[in-house]
Amino acid sequence: MATVLPDELLSSLNESIQCRELQLQQIACLLTSDIFSPPNLVLYGTEATGKSLAINALLQAIDTPSALVRSKECITTRHLLERTLSEVQDTLKETAPSVDGRCESISAFVVQLQRLLERQKKFILVFDNIDRQREAAPTLVPALARLSELTPNLTTVFIVTCPRPNLFQQPGIPHIHFPHYTRSELLTLVSSSPLPLESPSSASLPNIPTFNQADLDYLWPRFATAVHDSLAQPAANTLPSLRTLCARLWPAFIAPILSNKYSPREFSKLMVRNRHLFQSEDALKHSIVPPQSQSTDPPQQQSRKTSLIILPPLPSQLLLTAYLASHTLPKHDTLLFSKYSTSQRKRRGGGTLAPRTPNKKTHVANTNRKILRIQMLGAQAFPLERMLAIYSALFRDYDEADEGADWRSTKKRKRGTQGGEAEVLMTFSTLVGMGLI
């Protein structure tokens, strides 16, 4: 396939973006031609297949001005349009005319984009993950696909995971497919970036042996192949997950080498020694509990004493707060969790009012009905704001000197409370993702 890029530039791109030679040539033919470039281009494929990496590397290698907008970082459609104008203006720098930057609608966006690109011969605008834009109207993507009709010098590139039928509502748009990496391609990519033949705790070990690059080049590809065939192929067959899995197992795999029990060339003996790493699925499990130091001995030689796993303070507090919010009625929050509530109502002139004495039969019947209803339904749904309010009342205690200050800026916490609001929300989302809340 003929391209307009020099052979040296194309070879350097193929070296930096491996296993994507055909896709790079197709993109280069469509975007770098001075005669004709399509107004729209679609790059599609599953996650972690090199779509964004390939287009970004190609745009940096050519002289055509371009801008890349990540749709996942935009909250609303207005945020996406204003972010796009900001990226285009930053790319053009001094040559860009001054625009307002505020986009109330797609029409205002088109007018300001035309002003920015009126002096440009050609401009490439890339929307990454546009199919995952939040709060996107059904007409957003078709409207973006028609930008080139109003701005002839603009080429729009859409990066999507799986293009739906009639997503763009416009025929004739070229599509370039990024297929999933094969086994040989995955092993080639992982083998190109090996981890060092050392562990974080190896500095404290005496008589640490030294290894050369040839030992690492011999051991790492065989280790990556074993990890892929035993664990990654059925459960973690993407490039980031395979790299993460190799990084988790690598320190325990090379521990016998660092302790002078085996050499890097004795791979078969290392596999027999560490066969429990490839038979267990513990490395595939995601946990919020900090990883404990793992012994390099097989499970038969390890102690059979079981230790109780204790969660960190913040997840424990959030789980307790969620339990209280789901098993108590909202009308009792002030009585149970507020520190300024009283059990009796005070009279204006002093003293207290005698509690009301309702009909005993009616009161007992209503109470039994409510208790039975709660017991039959089990845990009740609750708003996030209510759970955070209960959490703040129980665990966000601070000193009297800090009374009146915002709890987000208070540094002295009691009862071991950790972090601020961002850490609380991040831990809460982790617990929800794990199905604990």
Side-chain angles (χ1 to χ4, degrees), residues 398-418:
Y398 42 84
D399 300 336
E400 295 180 359
D402 293 328
E403 186 176 0
D406 190 2
W407 63 270
R408 299 182 184 87
S409 60
T410 305
K411 295 183 179 180
K412 297 181 180 179
R413 313 285 187 196
K414 294 181 180 179
R415 306 180 188 176
T417 305
Q418 301 178 355

Side-chain angles (χ1 to χ4, degrees), residues 184-197:
S184 59
E185 291 175 346
L186 280 175
L187 296 178
T188 300
L189 293 172
V190 175
S191 302
S192 62
S193 56
L195 295 177
L197 198 57

Side-chain angles (χ1 to χ4, degrees), residues 146-284:
R146 298 187 61 182
L147 288 177
S148 57
E149 297 180 6
L150 303 176
T151 309
N153 54 353
L154 176 65
T155 298
T156 310
V157 180
F158 300 95
I159 301 178
V160 296
T161 302
C162 181
R164 304 186 305 272
N166 298 327
L167 176 62
F168 303 96
Q169 299 181 7
Q170 185 177 357
I173 300 179
H175 288 57
I176 297 178
H177 181 216
F178 281 73
H180 186 73
Y181 291 112
T182 61
R183 177 181 180 275
S184 59
E185 291 175 346
L186 280 175
L187 296 178
T188 300
L189 293 172
V190 175
S191 302
S192 62
S193 56
L195 295 177
L197 198 57
E198 59 184 12
S199 65
S201 59
S202 61
S204 59
L205 298 177
N207 301 325
I208 302 175
T210 58
F211 308 98
N212 52 23
Q213 187 64 28
D215 295 334
L216 183 60
D217 295 338
Y218 174 84
L219 182 62
W220 176 258
R222 291 168 172 77
F223 166 75
T225 304
V227 172
H228 178 271
D229 295 341
S230 59
L231 297 174
Q233 186 174 6
N237 55 356
T238 61
L239 182 59
S241 58
L242 179 59
R243 285 177 173 171
T244 303
L245 191 59
C246 291
R248 291 178 181 175
L249 298 177
W250 180 248
F253 184 81
I254 63 175
I257 301 177
L258 300 178
S259 58
N260 292 325
K261 294 182 180 179
Y262 300 99
S263 66
R265 300 285 178 171
E266 298 175 334
F267 180 75
S268 59
K269 295 182 180 180
L270 288 171
M271 286 294 299
V272 175
R273 174 77 177 182
N274 298 313
R275 61 180 179 271
H276 63 280
L277 297 176
F278 303 95
Q279 295 174 352
S280 175
E281 296 181 356
D282 294 338
L284 297 172

